[in-house]
Amino acid sequence: MADGTKAVVDTSAADGAADEAVLAAAIDELADGTARATAAGSSAKKDGRSGPTDSGAAAPAATTRAPAAPEPAPTAPAPGGSAPAEPTSETTAPLSVSEIAAELASVDAAARTDPGPAAAAPAKRPPRDPQPTHDPRDTATLPQTLPAPQRRSGDMIGHRYRLEECISSTETFSSWRAVDEKLRRAVGVHLMASGHQRARKVLAAAKSAALLGDPRFVQVLDAVQEGELVYVVREWLPHASDLAKLLSDGPLEPHEAYQMVRQVTDAVAAAHRRGQAHLRLTPRCVLRTDSGQYRINGIAVDAALRGLTGEGSGEDAERVDTRAIGALLFAALTHRWPYPEDRYDLKGLPRNLREVAPDQVRAGVHKGLSELAARALLDHPPHHAEPITTPDGLARAIALMPRIRQPQPELPAFTSPPRHNTHALPTAPNPTRVVAAPGTAPTPVVAPVRRTGRRLRTVVKVTASAVALGAIGVASWQLVDSLRPGSTAVASPQPSSTSATPTAHAATHDPAPIPVKEALSYNPLGEKADGAASLPKAIDDDPASEWQTNWYSDAFGSKPGTKEGTGLLLDLGSVQTVSKVTLKWSTATTAELRMPGKSVGNAQTAKPGDFTVLGKKAGTAVEYNLDSPVTTRYLLIWLTNLSKNPDSGPNPGKYQAFLGDVKVFG
């Protein structure tokens, strides 16, 4: 141990061989009857002793003590690393064979249990990069800053993607709108130098985001390292507007803000349950489509491009995303960014204004949404409310809130029509248009108006008298006819009278809505229920949430052996009188409205031919107006033609239907 390196080397084999050699030499010396002081001194030194050995065992006969000799000067250690035996000032009695064996055993046990400070456990290594990688190089050797690759409009990437417009550019990467020449569709492309220290993490984040497969996130289509370039290709939504653009005109309405925070929270919570985090959720990343659905862009990739991945625990990532959702809701309610800086075309809060709820910044903010934003954004919400630190907790809090429904459009104010005598004979020009001279009373105006009103009342009285006399005459005739022997006049007019009453009532009153108790999948021509996971979304009074059918490779009935259709069965809970049904589809769909026949026992197991067709419509906003109201408990929406999904969306090129809302009226 002279050079200090043997402490970390395993020398158990060498020490064992040395101990065996010492034991053999000691036994030989005892057998010869010679006692060497060096053996005792060496044993004492190995045990940490410098004086005589005190052993409980009986020692052999002591030898004569040698006279003291002057202590020589210490000698230098041998080149081999072991120092020569130091001379002792006295000699002691030699140890017995059993004592030597016990000494060696104790030394060996001490070496095993206490390796000494030099053999201590090595220090813990720092945590490894959580992002998966197959590159054996150490990223610490790569440059931390490397300029973004210089590209121009019209350049081709990967012999497939043609760059068109640079959307944003930083020191390390650039983002472009491009065209996929192979599939002829618009895409988004991020470019970064492959030699950058973040390049491998960006590729890993893009691949993990592509495996997420959640349609609520903008899909990652490709992630490639090619030579000196790393590029990530994502889906492009040309008709979507980000939240920053939506807030340019002012804060969102409570219903729209509620839909935004609910959809974004559900999507982020689902991503965290699968081990994914966004870490950079801003108003630029939240996109609203034409159908009212919110989609999230840049899951994991945006943070990796800016070096924000792999630095926090799972709990930290959940808190970061939850606070970001709280900031989005705060901005949507107040039209202010909840931090002192002005960001995303929004003015920041004053620096002396901290830990405030949205309703303290702007008047008229929805109380429930204000409390929700404060609990998600602030570590110490007002009124001692408990902060929300995870997306799952935020989703549960939103589910406990009363649903904020969309306000009904305001009807125009009713104005009474001008009173004109349409039955009067032509008269002289209206005297009301004559401007009277100053100082004269407009007496000619009053007399004609009174005369016209009196004449109208006279006509109404005469007409009412004639109608009453006619009704009395008809009733008298029916009474006399019913008293004749064998007459059936009582039975024949009665059905016509009762059947005409609902028709007149329906013509003069708006249809009353009938709540749908349950939506059931009706797929007798398939092997499993069609769209079973999203059935409640068809009747939840929320057009943004949709019932989605399974996707099909071919249109219904287009080839021999393909299905003729699929359906959605509506259970009204009891027998109801139905006069109208309305449907709202996201894409053009052809569907028939049917009701079960009288011989059907179980509507869910009946065949399609056992239903009566009430009407057939095609389009997105469909309305079935029944000429004669029907009485039934079940209604069947039988889909016979589905639209083909676009190439840029989920399930591209497949046939699928999306039903956002269904209403039944009596």
Side-chain angles (χ1 to χ4, degrees):
M1 296 178 63
D3 56 357
T5 59
K6 296 183 179 180
V8 294
V9 180
D10 187 6
T11 58
S12 57
D15 291 344
D19 292 341
E20 293 179 1
V22 173
L23 178 60
I27 295 175
D28 292 340
E29 290 177 357
L30 290 176
D32 295 339
T34 62
R36 299 185 180 180
T38 56
S42 175
S43 299
K45 184 175 181 180
K46 184 171 293 190
D47 195 34
R49 298 173 300 172
S50 59
T53 304
D54 184 10
S55 175
T63 59
T64 305
R65 191 171 219 177
E71 185 175 354
T75 58
S82 59
E86 299 181 1
T88 58
S89 58
E90 59 182 3
T91 59
T92 57
L95 299 177
S96 63
V97 176
S98 59
E99 289 175 333
I100 293 175
E103 287 289 333
L104 294 176
S106 64
V107 171
D108 183 53
R112 293 182 181 179
T113 58
D114 185 16
K124 293 184 178 180
R125 297 181 178 178
R128 300 181 63 184
D129 185 356
Q131 298 292 344
T133 179
H134 301 286
D135 194 345
R137 298 179 302 172
D138 184 9
T139 57
T141 62
L142 298 178
Q144 294 184 358
T145 58
L146 198 63
Q150 296 296 326
R151 292 294 185 272
R152 298 178 181 178
S153 298
D155 290 353
M156 295 295 295
I157 303 297
H159 305 288
R160 176 173 178 177
Y161 305 104
R162 177 169 49 83
L163 303 181
E164 288 196 342
E165 180 185 2
C166 183
I167 305 302
S168 63
S169 179
T170 66
E171 295 181 355
T172 57
F173 70 93
S174 59
S175 301
W176 293 75
R177 176 176 59 85
V179 174
D180 185 350
E181 295 288 352
K182 183 177 181 180
L183 299 179
R184 304 301 303 171
R185 62 179 179 181
V187 294
V189 178
H190 298 298
L191 301 180
M192 173 179 277
S194 60
H196 196 280
Q197 198 174 50
R198 303 175 192 165
R200 291 193 296 123
K201 292 184 179 181
V202 170
L203 287 174
K207 293 176 182 178
S208 61
L211 294 176
L212 189 60
D214 193 326
R216 293 172 291 188
F217 293 92
V218 176
Q219 302 297 305
V220 175
L221 306 176
D222 205 353
V224 179
Q225 177 178 348
E226 187 177 61
E228 300 179 353
L229 188 66
V230 166
Y231 60 90
V232 177
V233 183
R234 66 172 179 87
E235 183 183 5
W236 185 266
L237 304 178
H239 302 295
S241 301
D242 58 44
L243 184 59
K245 184 177 180 181
L246 296 176
L247 294 177
S248 60
D249 297 332
L252 300 182
E253 295 294 333
H255 169 73
E256 190 64 31
Y258 170 78
Q259 291 295 330
M260 183 275 297
V261 71
R262 182 178 66 85
Q263 296 183 35
V264 171
T265 301
D266 290 344
V268 174
H272 275 273
R273 285 192 293 269
R274 297 188 59 179
Q276 291 289 340
H278 196 289
L279 299 179
R280 198 178 180 274
L281 196 58
T282 67
R284 302 289 186 193
C285 300
V286 178
L287 308 177
R288 185 184 185 273
T289 62
D290 293 341
S291 61
Q293 293 180 330
Y294 283 89
R295 300 184 65 182
I296 302 174
N297 185 24
I299 176 73
V301 177
D302 279 8
L305 287 170
R306 293 163 176 84
L308 300 179
T309 57
E311 293 296 333
S313 61
E315 183 179 359
D316 296 334
E318 289 184 339
R319 186 67 185 107
V320 168
D321 283 350
T322 305
R323 183 179 285 109
I325 298 175
L328 295 178
L329 181 57
F330 190 103
L333 296 174
T334 64
H335 198 235
R336 299 287 293 269
W337 189 239
Y339 299 103
E341 300 82 8
D342 297 345
R343 298 292 301 274
Y344 311 108
D345 300 330
L346 298 174
K347 189 176 181 180
L349 295 179
R351 294 187 179 274
N352 58 353
L353 193 62
R354 298 181 179 179
E355 302 289 328
V356 293
D359 57 358
Q360 297 175 341
V361 177
R362 177 176 172 269
V365 175
H366 189 277
K367 188 67 176 178
L369 293 177
S370 175
E371 180 183 356
L372 189 72
R375 294 179 61 192
L377 177 62
L378 306 177
D379 293 330
H380 304 286
H383 310 297
H384 304 286
E386 183 181 358
I388 302 175
T389 58
T390 63
D392 271 329
L394 185 58
R396 290 192 296 268
I398 295 174
L400 294 176
M401 286 181 55
R403 182 184 293 272
I404 302 176
R405 301 190 180 276
Q406 187 173 7
Q408 297 294 332
E410 296 183 0
L411 297 177
F414 175 77
T415 57
S416 59
R419 300 177 63 181
H420 295 292
N421 183 15
T422 57
H423 301 280
L425 295 176
T427 59
N430 193 351
T432 57
R433 296 183 181 180
V434 178
V435 180
T440 60
T443 53
V445 178
V446 179
V449 174
R450 289 181 177 179
R451 191 180 301 114
T452 303
R454 190 183 304 114
R455 189 178 301 163
L456 179 61
R457 285 194 296 270
T458 302
V459 173
V460 171
K461 288 180 181 180
V462 172
T463 304
S465 300
V467 172
L469 291 175
I472 293 173
V474 172
S476 301
W477 177 80
Q478 290 180 348
L479 179 62
V480 172
D481 193 29
S482 63
L483 295 177
R484 295 176 182 177
S487 174
T488 59
V490 176
S492 58
Q494 188 68 20
S496 62
S497 175
T498 56
S499 61
T501 301
T503 304
H505 178 75
T508 56
H509 294 81
D510 292 334
I514 300 175
V516 180
K517 180 182 178 182
E518 187 179 6
L520 306 170
S521 176
Y522 180 79
N523 191 21
L525 307 180
E527 299 178 355
K528 60 181 181 179
D530 202 337
S534 57
L535 285 171
K537 296 182 178 180
I539 57 174
D540 62 354
D541 295 330
D542 185 6
S545 61
E546 299 174 323
W547 170 63
Q548 302 180 9
T549 66
N550 301 334
W551 58 264
Y552 298 91
S553 300
D554 302 303
F556 288 150
S558 60
K559 297 180 181 180
T562 58
K563 293 173 56 175
E564 297 178 0
T566 186
L568 180 70
L569 189 65
L570 304 178
D571 183 5
L572 305 181
S574 61
V575 176
Q576 302 285 343
T577 300
V578 180
S579 61
K580 184 174 72 171
V581 177
T582 62
L583 306 176
K584 290 184 179 180
W585 306 92
S586 294
T587 56
T589 305
T590 303
E592 297 177 353
L593 179 65
R594 300 185 178 189
M595 63 174 288
K598 296 181 179 180
S599 60
V600 174
N602 188 350
Q604 199 168 6
T605 58
K607 300 298 182 183
D610 298 335
F611 289 80
T612 302
V613 179
L614 303 177
K616 183 176 182 180
K617 298 282 185 177
T620 55
V622 177
E623 184 174 310
Y624 299 92
N625 289 306
L626 306 182
D627 297 335
S628 300
V630 296
T631 303
T632 181
R633 175 179 175 178
Y634 295 95
L635 291 172
L636 174 62
I637 301 172
W638 181 246
L639 286 69
T640 58
N641 190 14
L642 311 180
S643 294
K644 191 174 183 180
N645 291 335
D647 295 336
S648 59
N651 304 323
K654 305 299 183 181
Y655 292 86
Q656 199 171 8
F658 304 88
L659 180 59
D661 189 37
V662 56
K663 291 287 189 300
V664 181
F665 299 90

